[in-house]
Amino acid sequence: MAIQFKDYYETLAVSRTATPEEIKAAFRQLARKYHPDVAKDQATAEEKFKEINEANEVLSDPEKRRRYDELGPNWQDPMAPAGARHGPPGAETGEEFEFGGTGFSDFFENFFGGGHGGFGSARRAAGEGHVFTARGRDIEADLLVTLGEALRGSLRQVTLRRPGHNGSAGRNDTYNVRIPPGAAEGLRIRLAGQGGPGHGGGAPGDLYLRVRLARHPDFTVQGADLHFDLELAPWEAVLGVSAKITTLDGSATLKVPPGTTADSSLRMRGLGLPRDDGGRGDLYARVRVQVPAAVSKEEQALWAQLAQASTFNPRIKS
Amino acid sequence: MNKNSSSPRWFVIVSPAGPEVPPYTLAMAAQLAAVHPDLLRHYCRIGLLGPAHTSPEPAPVFDDNSLYAVRRIQHFRQDHGVSLHALRLVCGLLREIEQLRGEVRFLRDR
């Protein structure tokens, strides 16, 4: 199994000493360009986005980032990075499964994913001499799903390279996997009988694909609800505005009422992800008030006039 | 590292979609997870296994996550001799970890 090292810092174009904020900003910037839900050129964007998402998964998580930094040049030496290695896929039974089309590289799966884990009685069955039947091992792998796919559902092609037994060659299986609309983080899609082979006439195990939602450049997920930051000019927050925003469904107009304060949330009903009960979650806009960094002479005069006229003092608690 | 075994000898397209698609009834879930329906009922009763989601129907409904959970419980019990009592603790912790992970992810992404 030839695993290729991934330079996640290079992928996000950040320095090795980048702060979490810099990493977040770099990811968002790249994701706006390459995320399949928003990219203009879908075909080339998809591969690129997978790399960006993977790099972000590792570098935005302090624990994973620490392990990644510890890997260093001897990353292939199994003894070198203490505690970094999860164990190769299928370690329990000495079998190696390799997946394609899941959205995660073997490098990621090996060091930072759950591995192509699974469980079952294969090891015990193989170790004992007498004949008995045992069900095959269940195999599990992560599947990267975008919010657009989670909303509308999609069809994805996943390949699984199975190891050969007793010197026989391995085999590639290709699955057309239907991701149901409303697929939530952690949902498992079961491919019946596609796990490890059974023993002594036992049934084969199952293959489970576990949904992992790809990070979106704008929306964060909380259950079926989505959140995003709505940037407003101070006068928009004070006077109110009709803001045109992009949602998963397309675009919508959000009416910001006069006197909207910073950090307040505005709810747009039913524009989130599908819920179990058939309805949909909500989309929340968190208000961020931005102040112009530089102002013209005329603007400055107007602000000064406002400062004179206004009785508002944010430091006095009423 | 470049072994010949990494090149596929043949390429098979398998249509995985069986006749059974979630949500499953209790009887169907028991059959698919290869356990007795009474055992599945027992797991639900002692809180090892929750129904897939809060459905308006009184009968519990199961999905692929439930099947995975049952397989995992069976594995822990049969291959590692873990008691039901310990499993309740383990399953509760796993559920909680999953929930907390989601929360951390959300807070970190904001």
Side-chain angles (χ1 to χ4, degrees):
Chain A
M1 184 169 60
I3 297 178
Q4 283 207 309
F5 185 79
K6 301 272 178 187
D7 190 335
Y8 290 144
Y9 290 101
E10 197 180 287
T11 304
L12 291 186
V14 291
S15 76
R16 298 187 78 83
T17 55
T19 63
E21 287 71 32
E22 285 167 347
I23 287 168
K24 192 188 273 187
F27 167 76
R28 285 198 172 161
Q29 198 190 354
L30 288 167
R32 283 212 178 90
K33 204 163 150 193
Y34 294 110
H35 192 291
D37 288 355
V38 296
K40 288 182 180 72
D41 185 0
Q42 298 273 335
T44 54
E46 196 178 323
E47 280 311 305
K48 183 92 178 140
F49 176 71
K50 284 175 190 167
E51 289 176 14
I52 296 163
N53 182 72
E54 194 174 295
N56 185 57
E57 282 281 318
V58 173
L59 297 187
S60 68
D61 181 327
E63 173 61 22
K64 287 195 177 110
R65 185 179 178 184
R66 188 185 59 74
R67 291 212 313 262
Y68 178 74
D69 288 343
E70 277 175 11
L71 281 179
N74 297 326
W75 65 277
Q76 264 180 319
D77 179 357
M79 301 304 287
R85 197 174 272 256
H86 272 279
E92 201 182 335
T93 54
E95 290 170 330
E96 290 177 358
F97 294 96
E98 283 172 50
F99 284 88
T102 59
F104 295 103
S105 72
D106 285 336
F107 176 78
F108 178 87
E109 287 284 8
N110 208 33
F111 292 103
F112 305 104
H116 302 147
F119 42 76
S121 311
R123 185 173 50 170
R124 211 177 54 166
E128 295 181 19
H130 43 267
V131 178
F132 68 101
T133 62
R135 192 176 185 276
R137 201 159 79 88
D138 290 330
I139 308 171
E140 193 189 14
D142 286 342
L143 185 65
L144 189 69
V145 173
T146 68
L147 295 184
E149 287 179 302
L151 175 65
R152 288 176 278 272
S154 80
L155 200 66
R156 282 269 291 280
Q157 209 166 70
V158 174
T159 61
L160 168 59
R161 199 180 77 79
R162 295 168 185 279
H165 285 280
N166 306 321
S168 68
R171 193 183 83 188
N172 270 14
D173 287 341
T174 299
Y175 303 98
N176 290 316
V177 180
R178 199 182 67 82
I179 297 165
E185 173 85 19
L187 174 84
R188 287 184 179 85
I189 300 166
R190 171 176 159 275
L191 307 187
Q194 301 304 319
H199 298 266
D206 294 334
L207 169 59
Y208 289 93
L209 295 171
R210 182 177 170 274
V211 169
R212 297 202 49 179
L213 293 178
R215 265 177 220 194
H216 192 279
D218 300 318
F219 304 126
T220 51
V221 183
Q222 190 178 41
D225 294 334
L226 297 174
H227 296 249
F228 77 101
D229 285 348
L230 178 70
E231 317 283 354
L232 292 180
W235 49 89
E236 288 178 325
V238 173
L239 304 174
V241 68
S242 279
K244 193 163 179 263
I245 56 158
T246 306
T247 70
L248 283 185
D249 304 76
S251 59
T253 305
L254 172 60
K255 264 200 142 82
V256 179
T260 295
T261 54
D263 284 331
S264 59
S265 276
L266 303 169
R267 181 168 68 162
M268 305 179 79
R269 215 181 271 271
L271 288 180
L273 294 171
R275 283 195 311 244
D276 283 343
D277 63 8
R280 276 180 67 179
D282 301 325
L283 178 62
Y284 288 90
R286 183 167 62 157
V287 172
R288 304 289 217 170
V289 176
Q290 298 289 351
V291 175
V295 289
S296 67
K297 270 223 157 71
E298 192 194 350
E299 282 174 309
Q300 198 180 12
L302 287 167
W303 282 109
Q305 204 183 328
L306 178 61
Q308 283 289 320
S310 179
T311 55
F312 176 62
N313 184 344
R315 290 175 297 281
I316 290 178
K317 303 276 178 273
S318 56
Chain B
M1 291 299 276
N2 275 331
K3 281 186 224 151
N4 287 339
S5 62
S6 63
S7 59
R9 288 288 172 84
W10 65 82
F11 201 69
V12 191
I13 292 199
V14 183
S15 172
E20 313 90 354
V21 281
Y24 312 112
T25 61
L26 186 131
M28 227 148 97
Q31 194 198 344
L32 293 174
V35 296
H36 196 279
D38 286 346
L39 186 63
L40 202 56
R41 243 176 240 119
H42 182 60
Y43 286 165
C44 288
R45 207 163 37 229
I46 64 173
L48 263 186
L49 199 66
H53 48 78
T54 42
S55 55
E57 306 99 66
V61 169
F62 301 88
D63 63 9
D64 286 342
N65 279 26
S66 329
L67 296 185
Y68 180 84
V70 175
R71 297 298 317 157
R72 194 167 57 186
I73 291 166
Q74 292 302 92
H75 169 66
F76 280 140
R77 290 188 70 188
Q78 291 166 359
D79 297 351
H80 298 292
V82 180
S83 72
L84 276 181
H85 188 74
L87 267 174
R88 263 163 79 171
L89 190 70
V90 170
C91 290
L93 286 173
L94 287 173
R95 259 201 299 271
E96 202 173 324
I97 288 171
E98 199 133 317
Q99 206 182 322
L100 289 173
R101 272 200 187 134
E103 198 66 22
V104 166
R105 205 177 147 86
F106 170 70
L107 293 173
R108 198 179 276 151
D109 284 0
R110 295 201 76 174

